[in-house]
Amino acid sequence: MKKKNSVLKLFAPYFMLLVVVLITMYVFNIKNVVVHELNYNEFISNLTNQKVSELEVTPKSKESVYILTGKLDGYEKKESFSLIVPYTDSVIDKVLEESSNQKLNVVVNKDPGSISWVSVVLDFIPIILIGSLSFYLIRVMLSNGKGGTLDFGRSRAKLNQDGGKTTFKDVAGLNEEKEEVKELIDFLKSPKKFQKLGARIPKGVLLVGPPGTGKTLLAKAVAGEAKVPFYYISGSDFVELFVGVGASRVRDMFKQAKQTAPCLIFIDEIDAVGRQRGTGLGGGHDEREQTLNQLLTEMDGFGANEGIIIIAATNRPDVLDPALLRPGRFDRQVTVNLPDVKEREAILNVHAKNKILASDVKLNHIAQRTPGYSGADLENLLNEAALLAVRRNKESIEMDEIDEASDRVLMGPAKASKKVTEFEKKVVSFHESGHAVLGIELPNGEEVHKITIIPRGMAGGYTQMLPKEERTMIMTKDELLQQITCYLGGRVSEELFIGEISTGASDDFKRATNIARRMVTEYGMSDLGPMQFEHRSGEVFLGRDYTSTSKNYSDTVALEIDKEIRKIIDSCYENAKSILSKNKELVTLLANTVSEKETITKEEIEEIVKEYKSGKKSKKTKKSEDKNETEE
């Protein structure tokens, strides 16, 4: 029913406009008739000469006249004549007598007795309809609903009266983050408890974190738990072409919120309107800066906004204006980090409720294999697996679909139909096997979960390596060096086993060089000592960083930095060459297996390594026995 009403509301103006056009055309067609005014003598002359083809007599006793209308010979369809004669029997008798002699059919109408209301209505209907249509269109344009074109200063914030149905039960993980925002819920439910002790609840809470970690979901859950009116708006909804519109919308939003206080206002992507002022290249952005100024004033200015709590979300806190982050505005920042293994398992359980999983699918195993995934990534992973299962006509989602979906999310769909030459296949096989063997042999290396030479995205193949223990805080120098060694393993393997080098290692060099540069310039892990030469605070904010960024070291130091980076890379390259040279048989065994099967899993890799090490051990035993026999 709601959809039907919305359709009627949408097409009502067009229907009214069509009616106005049709009636106007009808009225103009009526008025388009050409009427010739004749005097009595002209009429009698035409009647006598038998030139009158049609005649109609209408008496009007109140005006003591007869109205004679009709057509003369030679008139067109829309032409007629009209004349008024005195209301006397002699005149009309003469007309009727002459008409009877000519056998002219005369129509005699009854006396209408008053003005024809039909003609009056027809004259006024177009005016009434045009006025009604104009009033309706102006009302729509000035309204606060969707589609209004003149409501520039009205707030675009949407109100959810019951706070929404999302609660903390729907938010998996984020236990610490939930604790941080529980105070807001307690305040909204019972503010007197806080006011009694003189406590001031934070006016604003800023949720900071990478995309897809659940910032918006957490804000919805706060509103759902508090059961208070919940306004939600995006930062881009404030900014318009016209200067001053954003500020007006901020004022209107807080005006509405005061009427329903206590309430919540959620501003998503606040960096769209809260960027640092005075940082525009070639001048500031007047509209955004005025909007920000008004937001700062409303949050903590001369007026009081009691009972209004603002929750904002962004993944770029480095570009926000400092005045927005000071106490009294956004008093508290809650960092929403990427989930750990337990949180990932909880998130997978939430998104797996409406999916049919096979018995071999263990969500805890999937959680262990997906470090660095956000909540949105995990939802997408299960959705991709479900789509693959449907495509393959399966009754449930199996582990094969999970593996394929993981590869699709990371690297893109497999290009199984892409033609690969035998030489390319051999190069990629040894390249990926070099990475894998270094991960196996290095003491702090990562676990190898999969090797594949099926092209995906821009990669001809890849080796999936995951940390043995999930750590997010610190890494040692030795771990970083072993990471660089693993990245260089592909090129070293090509050089040792193929005798050629290819372009396939370009991304490996990029990552290895990046780690080495950070070790020298940020972490103080080189012979230059514990000094920081560069600082990374996220992506470059051109308005602020373009002109202020400068080297804080000399050209001589820059040369020393380059030498230290080269020393680290060369050392790791030689280490990789030494390890792969000692394990040539293992590299060859893995390369031949992956070349034959195209993809091998962790279990198959472990079986190959076990077989290689047992054979190596038996060879050592045999050599020692031969040596003992020779001595004897």
Side-chain angles (χ1 to χ4, degrees), residues 95-107:
V95 171
L96 294 174
E97 182 182 352
E98 186 67 31
S99 302
S100 179
N101 294 335
Q102 299 179 16
K103 296 182 179 181
L104 177 65
N105 186 22
V106 180
V107 179

Side-chain angles (χ1 to χ4, degrees), residues 273-287:
V273 69
R275 285 175 179 258
Q276 190 171 337
R277 291 167 291 181
T279 56
L281 290 174
H285 190 302
D286 290 339
E287 165 62 359

